[in-house]
Structure formats: structure tokens, C-alpha cells
Amino acid sequence: MKIFLPTNIKEFLEIKSKEPDAIILAGGTDLLAQWHNNKIMPNKIISISMLKNLSFIKEENNFVEIGSLTNHATIESNKIINKYLPILATAASTIGAPAIRNMGTIGGNIANASPAADLAPALLVYDAIVKLTSMNSTRELKLSEFYRGYKQTALGKDELIFSIKIPLPPQGVVTEFFKIGTRRAQSIAKVSLAGLIKKEKKGIDIIRLAAGSVAPTPIRLYELEKFLQGKILTRSVISTACDILQKYIKPITDVRSTEEYRRIALKNILVKFLSGI
Amino acid sequence: MIKRKWNINGKIQNIQFEEDQRLLDVLRDVLDLTGTKEGCGEGECGTCSVIINGELKLACLQLAAVLPDGTDILTIEGVEKTSLGKRIQRSFIETNAVQCGFCTPGMIIASFYLLSNHKKPDRKTIKRALSGNLCRCTGYNSIFEAIELASGRK
Ligand SMILES: Cc1cc2nc3c(=O)[nH]c(=O)nc-3n(C[C@H](O)[C@H](O)[C@H](O)COP(=O)(O)OP(=O)(O)OC[C@H]3O[C@@H](n4cnc5c(N)ncnc54)[C@H](O)[C@@H]3O)c2cc1C
Ligand code: FES
Ligand code: FES
């Protein structure tokens, strides 16, 4: 087994272009647990824990940019995040327990592409962009396009997630994040929902919804948004929204929950969100 | 073989270990610091809690080789020599917060980390701070009481 420990991004990219199969290791909370359970380890590991330049949060040109190595504890308590992206801080605060939040990173949470990743629904409603970098290029794509399928992403073998960029949300929006798990700490979501809404007298002006654990990847609920756009939230509108939701999601039964439970729970939190504001 | 020079419990030590070893393995098998326990090996139970460069971490999810020279590691063997550590230990004894004792080193590390950052935490803060540590014996209340007792002392 070989471990690479680059100390700057240039060195990382050089190694990664020569060793495309080396597994990127960030906080290790997903990978070490996986290696332990499967009793195998990869032949080549490239750790990014020494790349201190990847750990930052800044506000610039109407964007908040978060370095991929930023951990959950930092996101939970950071002033910029709490001011502009409150439900991202909330989502981070629900991840694992203190030690997990000190170790786990935003880059790992996204790259792992678990349908239950807690930062994902919040990032999706904030229209987050993933910034990828390799030896020869840098590219940006929407988080919703970064996800390609169950635990699959658009990340190339020579690439690194450099940062997550989030446009400042419009003025006057209300946001909320709901997570249903088995116990308060350490529980992976059975189902989760993030919502961003701006209501005017004449109807909904802006609506964005995203859900976790109800499809192979975390998803934006675009069709539901289209239906709700411009509507006044009467009981019958909310009821139709629930019907659309049911057609649109594909939850499964697994160790954590059943398909039926997930359908009912997500419907209930959608109703709670729409009728609560 | 990996060679590192770490500051372990206040003492600079030169150590050697294998590429695939976790910090938990290095502590227990190489350094013979067996106070750090392996409960689950996958981040769920907190018995392997340690403090790395001032932050609470889990030794079972930490690959040792990625910790560079100069890394500061504090384990239960180091915490018990500090005055705060001693105060917490005494409180655990007084409130009967130890039964089988397997969770205790991790509980004390998490309590030490909490009380290093909060002088007088309320019950909610204590529960949240210990939420990554499982105990199969005590029912937790005596542990929460121990931390309250320790936080009120000099
Ligand atoms: C006990 C426990 C509880 C947990 N609870 C939760 C929870 O409540 N909610 C939740 O969402 N998650 C939870 N997790 C999962 C995990 O902590 C998070 O997903 C975490 O954010 C992963 O980050 P990491 O840095 O530890 O990733 P790592 O394990 O280091 O890596 C994960 C994946 O991401 C890739 N990767 C990492 N960084 C980059 C990068 N910059 N560029 C490209 N690829 C990269 C790695 O190659 C790997 O495939 C839990 C895990 C444990 C062990
Ligand atoms: S052994 Fe590390 S958390 Fe259980
Ligand atoms: S005292 Fe036995 S597990 Fe806590």
C-alpha cells in the first residue's frame, strides 16, 4: 500500500495525474468506516488533509465559497454561513456527533454521493455549484448535475473538488431543513427535506425544494416547484402538491426504513413546510 | 514503514508503524496506550475518542500515516494527569458514572474536551457534547451529573 501526502494543491494534481487510481482521502469518516467493514484497503491513497488552502469560507462577488476540506463543525458555527445560508449550518449541525463534525468535510459529503448526505438538500436549494480542478483545467457545474446516479458523480479521475460556490440567496426568502432519523445523534437520515420560499400576496414568488433518501441521489423537486410557482397555498393546492410528490419520488426499503414510511414522512414534512410559512 | 515524530501526551516521541494502521492501532499496539478502546471501529460508539491538535477526533477513523511530524495527540493517559482530567475522574467516581468501564475513557475525553471549551455547560450542551459516546450500562444520567459536578469545582 502506498500513501501520498501532498502539501500543496499543485503537488496533489501532479501526483493525481500520474496516479489516477489513487483514492482521495479527506476526513476519512466515510472511507475508514468502509475499509473497516469490508476488511480491505485500496492500494494507493492520496490524502488531502495537508492542503490547508482547501479549508476556507469566503464571501465574494455575490457568492459564498466554501473550500472542500472545510469540516462540518466549522460550517455549523461560521458567521458568513449562518448569515446567508442558515439551513446549511443547520444541516451541518445534524451530522453525526462532535468528533464526526470535527473530521468530516463538505467535499467528502458531496463526493460520497450518498442519497442521505445531509448537506446535499440544503446545497441543492441554494443552487450550489461544484468547482472541480485538475492539472489542465478548472470547471464548474451545478450540484444537481454533479450527481450521476447511486453513489456516482461527474468527478474525473484526475480531478479534485476544489470548492462549493453558492450564489447569495434572494432577499426575503424563508428557508427550512427537516431531517428524520432514529435518534438525535449519529443517525443517518431516513428522509430529509430542504425548502426555500418567498411568498407574495398574489402567490408564491420563489420556491425551491430538495429531498434526501427518496431517490438514488439527493434530488431537487423541480416538477413540484413548477406546480407551486405563482400559486396561493390553499389546502387543495397543498394536497395536489403531495400527489405530485408521490409520483416523483422513488424511495426504497432498506436497513434504515421502508418505502412506505419514507413516502408518508416526506409528505408530512412537505405539508409542514408549506403550511408553516 | 512510516516514521513520525509526534507529541504524545506532552512527550515528543519517534515512532514507526505500517501504512495501513489507524491511529487506534498505533496507540494500542505500538505505543501500548491501551486506555483508548475499540468498540465499533466505525465511528459510532466514541470509545476511541482522542484529542488531536486540540480537537476531539475518533482514532478508529484516523489513518495514522496522514498525521505529520509535530502532531499533538492527547489520550486518556495524558488527560488523567491534568488537573481538569483529575477533577472529571473524581466526579465520575462520586456519581457512580462507571459500571463496566468500557465507555469511560471515551466519556472522559469527550467531557474533557467539553469542559476545556465551556466552563459551565447546561444539560443540553452536555448531552450534545456526549452524543457520540455510547454507554450500555449507566443510562447516562450519572455521567451527565459527573460533568455537572466537575464543572462546579475548582
Ligand atoms: C458515525 C458516523 C455518523 C455519520 N453521520 C452522518 C450524518 O448524520 N449525515 C451525513 O450526511 N453524513 C454522516 N456521516 C458520513 C460522513 O461523515 C460525511 O459524509 C462526511 O462529510 C464525509 O467527509 P470526509 O471528509 O470524512 O470524507 P472521506 O471519507 O475522506 O471521503 C469520502 C469520499 O469523498 C471523496 N472525497 C473527499 N474529499 C474530496 C475532494 N475534495 N475531491 C474529490 N473527492 C473527495 C473520497 O475519495 C471518498 O470517496 C457519518 C459517518 C459516520 C462514521
Ligand atoms: S471504535 Fe471508534 S467510534 Fe467506536
Ligand atoms: S459503563 Fe459500561 S458501557 Fe458505560
Side-chain angles (χ1 to χ4, degrees):
Chain A
M1 200 182 107
K2 184 137 183 55
I3 297 180
F4 300 96
L5 201 56
T7 52
N8 60 62
I9 292 173
K10 190 166 161 271
E11 194 188 335
F12 169 90
L13 295 172
E14 278 165 13
I15 298 170
K16 194 71 171 104
S17 71
K18 282 188 213 119
E19 304 279 357
D21 290 325
I23 302 291
I24 300 176
L25 178 67
T29 58
D30 278 317
L31 286 177
L32 272 279
Q34 213 174 293
W35 297 340
H36 178 81
N37 286 331
N38 301 338
K39 310 253 176 300
I40 45 162
M41 283 180 79
N43 291 328
K44 290 171 189 163
I45 294 171
I46 180 163
S47 166
I48 57 172
S49 59
M50 300 286 282
L51 308 183
K52 300 302 172 210
N53 286 348
L54 278 184
S55 182
F56 65 87
I57 297 173
K58 64 181 184 195
E59 181 204 342
E60 211 172 72
N61 304 327
N62 293 317
F63 278 89
V64 174
E65 186 170 0
I66 307 172
S68 62
L69 200 61
T70 309
N71 67 32
H72 303 312
T74 307
I75 292 173
E76 177 186 359
S77 61
N78 179 268
K79 280 212 183 92
I80 297 174
I81 304 283
N82 277 279
K83 179 172 174 196
Y84 295 110
L85 311 168
I87 58 168
L88 187 61
T90 309
S93 77
T94 72
I95 292 180
I100 295 286
R101 291 194 289 277
N102 283 342
M103 300 180 86
T105 66
I106 186 170
N109 200 253
I110 290 173
N112 195 41
S114 158
D118 279 319
L119 299 186
L123 289 171
L124 284 169
V125 298
Y126 284 133
D127 279 339
I129 293 162
V130 186
K131 187 168 164 183
L132 303 170
T133 173
S134 67
M135 272 285 265
N136 309 311
S137 69
T138 295
R139 60 182 180 129
E140 294 186 353
L141 67 173
K142 285 188 183 166
L143 179 58
S144 54
E145 288 161 7
F146 179 72
Y147 290 128
R148 286 290 155 86
Y150 180 69
K151 298 232 168 183
Q152 296 201 322
T153 70
L155 185 75
K157 277 191 175 276
D158 58 345
E159 282 180 317
L160 171 75
I161 300 178
F162 179 80
S163 66
I164 317 301
K165 286 174 67 182
I166 301 142
L168 293 185
Q171 296 279 317
V173 297
V174 175
T175 51
E176 225 168 320
F177 175 69
F178 304 86
K179 169 176 174 178
I180 298 182
T182 27
R183 63 181 173 120
R184 208 164 313 142
Q186 303 285 51
S187 65
I188 306 294
K190 291 177 175 190
V191 46
S192 62
L193 177 80
L196 177 152
I197 193 165
K198 185 174 181 187
K199 278 202 301 192
E200 303 283 2
K201 272 212 190 70
K202 55 184 198 322
I204 294 178
D205 186 27
I206 304 172
I207 175 102
R208 298 182 202 156
L209 297 161
S213 300
V214 291
T217 68
I219 49 165
R220 264 292 279 273
L221 303 168
Y222 287 115
E223 253 158 69
L224 197 53
E225 294 174 12
K226 227 188 290 165
F227 167 74
L228 288 166
Q229 182 69 44
K231 297 266 188 334
I232 291 175
L233 287 172
T234 60
R235 261 211 228 156
S236 87
V237 165
I238 293 178
S239 155
T240 311
C242 291
D243 294 342
I244 295 172
L245 176 76
Q246 297 301 331
K247 277 192 215 127
Y248 198 48
I249 57 175
K250 295 186 193 66
I252 55 163
T253 296
D254 65 10
V255 287
R256 276 192 289 278
S257 191
T258 62
E259 172 182 352
E260 192 190 7
Y261 178 91
R262 289 188 159 111
R263 285 192 178 278
I264 297 170
L266 186 64
K267 184 193 97 185
N268 288 345
I269 44 185
L270 178 69
V271 171
K272 193 168 168 194
F273 175 65
L274 292 177
S275 50
I277 32 101
Chain B
M1 226 11 146
I2 304 271
K3 288 184 184 160
R4 289 284 186 267
K5 197 186 223 173
W6 291 338
N7 182 352
I8 304 162
N9 296 327
K11 226 171 75 197
I12 310 269
Q13 293 199 43
N14 287 297
I15 42 172
Q16 284 189 24
F17 51 84
E18 301 291 337
E19 278 81 0
D20 62 357
Q21 285 188 295
R22 304 164 299 172
L23 177 61
L24 181 59
D25 309 316
V26 174
L27 291 175
R28 292 182 58 85
D29 304 339
V30 179
L31 292 159
D32 207 24
L33 294 170
T34 53
T36 308
K37 307 290 180 213
E38 174 157 15
C40 65
E42 52 180 73
E44 297 279 350
C45 75
T47 56
C48 68
S49 300
V50 291
I51 295 174
I52 304 177
N53 295 329
E55 288 194 351
L56 184 70
K57 302 255 166 115
L58 298 172
C60 72
L61 298 182
Q62 180 69 58
L63 199 62
V66 309
L67 297 174
D69 286 344
T71 300
D72 240 24
I73 297 165
L74 190 58
T75 69
I76 187 68
E77 289 86 353
V79 163
E80 72 170 350
K81 296 203 181 81
T82 65
S83 68
L84 176 57
K86 288 198 177 89
R87 224 195 302 157
I88 297 170
Q89 267 186 339
R90 251 192 297 135
S91 305
F92 266 65
I93 295 167
E94 279 173 44
T95 63
N96 289 315
V98 181
Q99 287 187 28
C100 81
F102 194 79
C103 71
T104 312
M107 288 289 180
I108 291 186
I109 292 275
S111 311
F112 179 86
Y113 181 69
L114 167 68
L115 293 178
S116 305
N117 297 304
H118 283 266
K119 284 263 139 39
K120 268 230 157 249
D122 57 18
R123 193 48 87 95
K124 207 174 131 210
T125 310
I126 294 174
K127 281 190 175 172
R128 204 169 144 72
L130 263 62
S131 59
N133 297 74
L134 297 181
C135 175
R136 310 217 54 176
C137 307
T138 65
Y140 300 99
N141 274 327
S142 54
I143 296 175
F144 301 148
E145 282 160 19
I147 296 171
E148 282 160 356
L149 187 61
S151 74
R153 281 181 169 166
K154 279 190 216 73

